[in-house]
Amino acid sequence: AELEGLVNRLRASWLAGKTRPIEYRISQLEALGRFLDEKKQSILDVLAADLSKGEFSDILLTTPDIVAFSLPQVVQLDSAFVRKDPYGVALIIGPWNYPIHLLLVPMIGAIAAGNCVIIKPSEISKYSEALIAEMLPNYLDKVRSCALPWHPLLVDVSTSAPIMQEEIFGPILPIVTVANLEEAIDFINARERPLSLYAFSCDNKVWRRG
């Protein structure tokens, strides 16, 4: 339940559009770079404790990716274009053998694309896991929603509201008020075909019509 709530809060934050502006993404990547720079010795210490090595490899392999994604790239095409949109919420599970590099590099790409991110460090590399959990949140923005109130029911929702534009993955039920059954049917038919339809009524004519 706790993880499900986290995913839904992040998805609601993403729907609000906070992570999409390029300025926001760059600021988060720069903050991640400061984390690697300022906590370099701490990272080396936990790598030595977890893997019996005190190399710069995990840091050196990660830093160039931050720089690469931070630089704006302009590609001019003739008559076609590619529009890249973020998926929303990304889950990144880190392995034990490169507990910093193989956790943060996918995170860099996800942030650069405008996604919200949940990271799961390896529990085997316990010292690296503890460092990431304790120190990294102090650098990155812990995205908060509520754009979408966290309640089971949303009453009199506007058809232009963000929650009406995307698939809903949480225990949220938006309620759109209509005058009668005909208006409800017209509302449904004017949009993409739903995955399912439920009619709640004591009148069998209503649910047969639905």
Side-chain angles (χ1 to χ4, degrees):
E2 181 180 354
L3 291 177
E4 183 178 359
L6 173 61
V7 171
N8 281 289
R9 289 193 297 274
L10 286 174
R11 184 168 286 116
S13 297
W14 177 77
L15 288 174
K18 183 175 183 180
T19 63
R20 293 184 181 234
I22 187 65
E23 296 81 8
Y24 177 86
R25 293 183 249 171
I26 291 176
S27 71
Q28 293 300 286
L29 292 174
E30 290 175 342
L32 186 55
R34 289 195 301 273
F35 163 74
L36 291 173
D37 182 58
E38 295 175 8
K39 302 301 179 183
K40 180 184 298 184
Q41 189 57 52
S42 297
I43 293 174
L44 292 175
D45 291 342
V46 297
L47 289 175
D50 282 328
L51 307 174
S52 298
K53 64 178 182 179
E55 303 173 2
F56 284 91
S57 57
D58 245 14
I59 302 177
L60 293 177
L61 289 172
T62 303
T63 305
D65 292 276
I66 298 177
V67 176
F69 276 108
S70 297
L71 295 177
Q73 299 180 4
V74 179
V75 180
Q76 183 175 358
L77 301 177
D78 184 13
S79 59
F81 67 92
V82 177
R83 173 174 173 170
K84 297 181 179 180
D85 286 330
Y87 282 111
V89 180
L91 171 63
I92 300 171
I93 301 176
W96 65 269
N97 54 339
Y98 283 91
I100 304 296
H101 173 64
L102 294 184
L103 183 72
L104 297 189
V105 167
M107 182 180 181
I108 292 168
I111 291 175
N115 294 288
C116 293
V117 182
I118 299 174
I119 57 173
K120 168 58 176 69
S122 172
E123 69 280 3
I124 297 176
S125 305
K126 59 181 181 179
Y127 296 104
S128 299
E129 177 189 27
L131 180 141
I132 291 293
E134 294 172 8
M135 296 185 179
L136 185 57
N138 296 325
Y139 288 82
L140 298 179
D141 183 19
K142 295 178 283 297
V143 180
R144 292 181 173 84
S145 172
C146 289
L148 301 180
W150 187 247
H151 297 294
L153 301 178
L154 301 180
V155 182
D156 292 331
V157 176
S158 169
T159 56
S160 61
I163 197 170
M164 298 297 292
Q165 311 305 314
E166 301 285 346
E167 187 174 359
I168 302 172
F169 291 91
I172 301 177
L173 177 64
I175 299 176
V176 178
T177 303
V178 295
N180 50 50
L181 178 60
E182 296 298 328
E183 185 176 338
I185 293 175
D186 291 340
F187 178 88
I188 295 171
N189 289 336
R191 289 160 176 79
E192 294 183 5
R193 185 178 298 274
L195 297 177
S196 61
L197 175 66
Y198 302 92
F200 299 92
S201 175
C202 296
D203 187 349
N204 59 6
K205 294 181 180 179
V206 172
W207 54 262
R208 285 179 180 174
R209 180 70 185 280

